[in-house]
Amino acid sequence: FSSSGYRINSDGKPAKFQPPPKPVIIDKQKQREERRFLSPEFIPPRGRTDPLKFYIERKDMIQRRKVFNIPEFYVGSVLAVTTADPYANEKSNRFVGICIQRGGKGLGATFVLRNVIEDQGVEICYELYNPRIQAIEVLKLEKRLDDNLMYLRDALPEYSTFDMNMKPVSRLDSEEIPVNKLQVRMKPKPWSKRWERPKYNIKGIKFELPEKKMKEAQKWSQPWLEFDMLREYDTSKIEEKIWKEVSEALQK
Amino acid sequence: MLTHDHVFGLVWEFLLTFEYTAFRRRERGPEPSFRGSTESFQRRTRRRRKPAEAPPTVAGLGAAGPWAKSGGRGGPGPCRSPGVTAGPAAPSPRRRLWSPPSPPFGEASGCSLLAAPGKFACAKAPPLERGQLGFVVRHINSTTWWHEHLSEENVQFLKKTTAEEYKAQTDSKLCPLKDEPWPLNEWKPDSIRVGVVAVKLGMMPIWTKSGKKHAVTLLKVQDCHVLRYVSKEESGGKTSKLLVGGKNASPFSKSESAMEIFKEAGPRKQKVTTFNVTDDAIIKPGTPLYAAHFRPGQFVDVTAKTIGKGFQGVMKRWGFKGQPATHGQTKTHRRPGAISTNKAAKVYRGKKMPGKMGNIYRTSFGLKVWRINTKHDIIYVNGSVPGHTNCLVKVKDSKLPTYKDCNKNPPFPTFFADGDEKLPEDLYDEEIFQFTDPSVTYA
């Protein structure tokens, strides 16, 4: 029994059967595939080097990635790295810290982890492709407001302390990477660098300086820099090509 | 009237006719003991005199050139009152401060004898060739590029035909072992084999199995061919030479004479070097040379032109300390300071002073070869190499006596691609960490 035959249109005539609208299925797997992450060390720097050199280096990097998993992480995520150390007990060394900087291109790519251990700030610079690294685990995957968290050296130590035995924070694969909009409080001046100046372009500090100082810092701003065409380096097409190459090679 | 200039000319001629050149070809003295010794220094900084150089004679070429109009005043003469104009009348007998160097002696000095005193003689200029002048004149800048006066079709046609020609030439010589090979000899500890011309691609880190990191330069062997064989008698040296050429380049921007070397050998190469080679290591001209000519674990010397820095001061060029920035220094912060002592009463030859820095050939000795990529012809060489990225570089077996044992039994005289050996794509040294292995652990 269906009551569709008894429906009457606004005109007075019998209504035609309209099937219900199709449900929109959000395929999380597809979403995850669409979200691509290309590690920044694959993108070649601007210069007059032969692209063949970058291709040879990429082959080596892909080779290493096939054997050893280098996870996706950003500046601001908390990582735990185990390295082989000939002088340690059990010959291995585990360090947990927040990634404050990712530098270098190609095989020499590095990342710096910072932590405060027994009131002493410790920063260790690891090479991504060093064969002595035995494991890299991402304990907390998140982004921050800046690409470079060097100002944590002048921030209060609580912002750089992480428990050495921290448990990894679980997250679903499909979610977007969360951006931590934390504004960090600083120690009193002097700082190692004048972070209030516009050249560092830092958004993650809660500046408690007087207005006068902030205004004075703007004297060093260079507003023409963002319009400088010679400094433009559009990496979108290069990234596409390299992403295709890398993903195909890794899937094999 | 015989002036002192004429006498000088006569004396000079006399010296020449007396086989002056024979005086120059003296025996080389004993080898200096070490690089810092006085003899070694003096030998390196000795002034070289070319035989064609002659002191400026009066009977220079008075023919063309703007100097003839000056009427031979020679220098800033006394000022005349504006009313009196000294027109360019008969040239005065006073000697010019500078006259162009005269070419072939016979003609110039012959003319000087014939010339009446006080008159300039025109010497016969040698037959002029295109682009060359008989004497040094202010630059005539009339540069055109090779296809400025050609139509587009002709340009395309030329490019196509030359490319096809060169391809055919190189292909015909691709199988050196299969058609008329030169005799292959066995390697002996005394034999010196050819080297290779490569392109510097860039640098990269590599790790050893013990976990140590080393920096490595990538050198790509691009279109390296043997161009010519020069026998010992022809070259006049102690060993026979092989001319080897590097990267291919366009044949259109060079003159015909420069292209003569490449007529039989193939396309024009950007860099042509000579390698001194023992007689048992000679190779037929036209053979291609590959990166597999070297093997990992070998040691190599790399020569190239250093990056040119232009005219540089004494602090950058020689590493002088300069002077302090403050404490009363007047206009002296990067200067050399004293250049000699009081007793010497002169400045020694070779004194380190500001000048053009870089853009000279330098060699890095004893560099280890870590890895060879046979597919792309790339040599991974330890450490850094002189020159900028994409510059052409000369690679040879090391001459250092410490590495004599490591360079034993190389592919002799070279690696032939059409031979029996089939090499894998990558050749690694024993100690290098290959990325196919798992991570390094210390047990």
Side-chain angles (χ1 to χ4, degrees):
Chain A
F1 174 75
S2 92
S3 55
S4 54
Y6 293 92
R7 288 217 194 125
I8 305 174
N9 226 355
S10 40
D11 299 354
K13 295 174 197 163
K16 201 171 168 211
F17 171 65
Q18 299 279 357
K22 271 201 177 148
V24 177
I25 306 168
I26 305 169
D27 195 1
K28 301 284 170 111
Q29 282 232 334
K30 264 198 178 165
Q31 251 195 357
R32 202 194 334 153
E33 271 164 34
E34 274 168 18
R35 182 172 67 78
R36 313 158 160 194
F37 171 71
L38 183 64
S39 208
E41 73 263 8
F42 279 102
I43 303 162
R46 200 161 65 138
R48 295 166 85 171
T49 355
D50 204 349
L52 175 71
K53 186 242 175 187
F54 298 125
Y55 172 69
I56 302 271
E57 235 181 337
R58 246 178 287 137
K59 268 202 331 195
D60 276 340
M61 285 152 76
I62 292 168
Q63 197 46 258
R64 173 74 179 154
R65 277 183 185 244
K66 280 192 191 168
V67 175
F68 173 74
N69 171 44
I70 298 176
E72 166 194 351
F73 67 97
Y74 304 87
V75 169
S77 10
V78 181
L79 308 184
V81 173
T82 10
T83 25
D85 192 352
Y87 310 113
N89 307 342
E90 285 155 49
K91 308 293 174 194
S92 76
N93 198 336
R94 184 170 189 265
F95 187 73
V96 171
I98 182 172
C99 173
I100 54 175
Q101 179 184 270
R102 278 188 86 160
K105 297 282 180 200
L107 276 177
T110 53
F111 62 99
V112 181
L113 294 184
R114 180 185 166 83
N115 202 342
V116 172
I117 300 175
E118 291 175 23
D119 296 331
Q120 171 64 52
V122 175
E123 284 179 16
I124 305 188
C125 175
Y126 290 104
E127 286 151 355
L128 274 175
Y129 296 96
N130 196 333
R132 276 164 60 181
I133 297 185
Q134 276 151 356
I136 305 181
E137 304 144 31
V138 176
L139 300 176
K140 191 171 180 194
L141 179 64
E142 64 175 8
K143 282 196 212 184
R144 291 278 201 119
L145 291 170
D146 308 302
D147 260 338
N148 204 310
L149 297 177
M150 284 295 181
Y151 55 81
L152 290 180
R153 293 171 180 167
D154 299 315
L156 297 172
E158 64 200 34
Y159 295 101
S160 320
T161 21
F162 296 92
D163 185 23
M164 283 297 251
N165 308 312
M166 195 166 122
K167 293 280 155 66
V169 167
S170 59
R171 58 175 284 277
L172 300 168
D173 268 342
S174 58
E175 281 172 2
E176 296 262 338
I177 319 267
V179 179
N180 191 347
K181 300 205 165 110
L182 176 63
Q183 298 254 311
V184 149
R185 287 184 62 214
M186 305 290 274
K187 292 195 232 174
K189 267 203 162 190
W191 297 331
S192 60
K193 293 249 172 350
R194 295 170 209 254
W195 303 112
E196 74 275 10
R197 293 224 173 141
K199 94 171 200 204
Y200 297 108
N201 195 19
I202 292 183
K203 308 214 169 73
I205 300 185
K206 187 171 183 171
F207 291 108
E208 277 148 10
L209 299 168
E211 270 289 325
K212 210 171 122 185
K213 296 266 167 158
M214 296 302 289
K215 259 189 144 176
E216 204 199 321
Q218 290 303 316
K219 261 201 316 191
W220 280 269
S221 68
Q222 295 173 312
W224 57 85
L225 268 189
E226 60 174 313
F227 303 108
D228 195 343
M229 290 174 79
L230 285 182
R231 274 174 215 260
E232 280 169 9
Y233 182 37
D234 189 18
T235 49
S236 46
K237 290 190 187 139
I238 307 172
E239 268 192 56
E240 287 273 335
K241 268 196 243 168
I242 297 178
W243 162 256
K244 253 206 287 185
E245 198 190 310
V246 168
S247 55
E248 273 165 31
L250 282 175
Q251 266 159 23
K252 270 193 220 170
Chain B
M1 188 189 72
L2 215 58
T3 53
H4 70 279
D5 306 310
H6 291 292
V7 171
F8 192 80
L10 283 170
V11 166
W12 189 249
E13 226 195 81
F14 169 75
L15 279 174
L16 276 176
T17 49
F18 224 67
E19 284 178 28
Y20 166 74
T21 43
F23 286 16
R24 284 198 69 231
R25 227 180 278 132
R26 63 184 176 279
E27 298 259 333
R28 267 182 114 176
E31 290 287 326
S33 41
F34 62 100
R35 197 169 191 270
S37 63
T38 323
E39 293 85 21
S40 162
F41 173 78
Q42 283 177 343
R43 188 186 279 199
R44 266 180 287 127
T45 58
R46 189 168 295 135
R47 280 185 281 260
R48 272 200 249 158
R49 274 224 173 93
K50 295 179 195 165
E53 214 182 74
T57 51
V58 173
L61 306 159
W67 296 283
K69 295 179 199 155
S70 62
R73 265 178 73 198
C79 288
R80 309 256 174 124
S81 51
V84 179
T85 42
S92 68
R94 200 162 16 143
R95 189 167 121 160
R96 277 189 197 162
L97 284 179
W98 181 89
S99 58
S102 44
F105 276 102
E107 293 167 327
S109 30
C111 288
S112 75
L113 290 175
L114 291 170
K119 286 233 179 87
F120 290 104
C122 306
K124 273 186 291 181
L128 292 175
E129 287 168 352
R130 177 182 80 88
Q132 290 176 4
L133 302 161
F135 40 81
V136 171
V137 168
R138 283 204 196 120
H139 251 325
I140 296 173
N141 282 328
S142 58
T143 37
T144 53
W145 56 100
W146 67 277
H147 55 92
E148 189 182 8
H149 300 298
L150 296 176
S151 68
E152 279 224 19
E153 292 173 351
N154 288 351
V155 165
Q156 300 299 326
F157 174 72
L158 267 179
K159 280 193 189 170
K160 223 174 40 164
T161 37
T162 36
E164 283 166 8
E165 235 183 74
Y166 289 143
K167 204 159 172 268
Q169 253 180 345
T170 33
D171 283 340
S172 67
K173 304 196 175 161
L174 260 184
C175 311
L177 272 185
K178 291 182 183 156
D179 19 64
E180 306 155 7
W182 283 9
L184 295 173
N185 302 315
E186 283 290 315
W187 177 82
K188 275 172 234 143
D190 281 340
S191 15
I192 307 172
R193 58 181 191 142
V194 208
V196 127
V197 176
V199 179
K200 174 176 170 181
L201 286 184
M203 294 185 76
M204 206 163 84
I206 51 152
W207 287 270
T208 54
K209 289 197 169 133
S210 54
K212 273 206 163 146
K213 183 165 108 155
H214 296 271
V216 166
T217 322
L218 309 192
L219 301 174
K220 179 174 164 93
V221 180
Q222 208 174 15
D223 310 319
C224 189
H225 288 92
V226 176
L227 296 176
R228 200 151 56 110
Y229 161 62
V230 177
S231 63
K232 222 193 286 192
E233 297 78 40
E234 254 181 87
S235 64
K238 289 188 202 165
T239 48
S240 40
K241 296 193 216 278
L242 276 178
L243 278 170
V244 172
K247 215 159 103 165
N248 283 349
S250 137
F252 300 116
S253 3
K254 285 276 173 176
S255 58
E256 288 274 324
S257 53
M259 291 295 292
E260 261 168 37
I261 319 169
F262 301 107
K263 246 189 225 169
E264 305 150 6
R268 173 185 152 216
K269 302 286 185 187
Q270 214 169 40
K271 181 175 167 100
V272 176
T273 41
T274 38
F275 290 96
N276 288 335
V277 144
T278 44
D279 281 319
D280 50 353
I282 51 178
I283 305 177
K284 184 175 171 194
T287 355
L289 296 172
Y290 301 98
H293 180 81
F294 297 103
R295 289 296 148 89
Q298 215 188 338
F299 287 82
V300 144
D301 295 340
V302 177
T303 316
K305 263 200 172 170
T306 47
I307 298 179
K309 315 257 173 181
F311 196 101
Q312 287 300 337
V314 110
M315 276 177 83
K316 191 179 185 80
R317 196 179 184 212
W318 299 112
F320 283 17
K321 276 180 80 177
Q323 288 83 25
T326 56
H327 290 296
Q329 311 290 321
T330 33
K331 310 200 293 190
T332 321
H333 307 289
R334 300 184 67 94
R335 299 179 76 186
I339 52 176
S340 189
T341 49
N342 186 24
K343 197 168 173 197
K346 68 168 189 175
V347 177
Y348 294 118
R349 185 182 332 135
K351 174 84 196 70
K352 292 181 180 176
M353 283 187 164
K356 291 254 161 59
M357 178 179 166
N359 202 26
I360 46 172
Y361 283 104
R362 281 289 187 252
T363 316
S364 308
F365 294 100
L367 303 177
K368 180 167 176 180
V369 171
W370 284 107
R371 181 176 159 183
I372 304 240
N373 186 321
T374 34
K375 186 174 163 207
H376 297 277
D377 275 332
I378 299 186
I379 313 175
Y380 290 61
V381 142
N382 190 30
S384 58
V385 139
H388 53 88
T389 10
N390 298 328
C391 79
L392 288 158
V393 128
K394 174 178 174 180
V395 189
K396 283 165 72 161
D397 295 327
S398 190
K399 69 168 207 257
L400 299 177
T402 9
Y403 302 126
K404 254 203 298 198
D405 297 326
C406 302
N407 293 352
K408 278 193 174 151
N409 289 325
F412 196 80
T414 185
F415 170 75
F416 294 103
D418 55 336
D420 298 326
E421 265 187 284
K422 289 288 168 213
L423 290 177
E425 191 190 321
D426 268 305
L427 291 167
Y428 294 93
D429 184 48
E430 300 153 344
E431 287 172 20
I432 204 179
F433 170 78
Q434 302 182 28
F435 287 113
T436 38
D437 306 332
S439 306
V440 163
T441 39
Y442 302 101

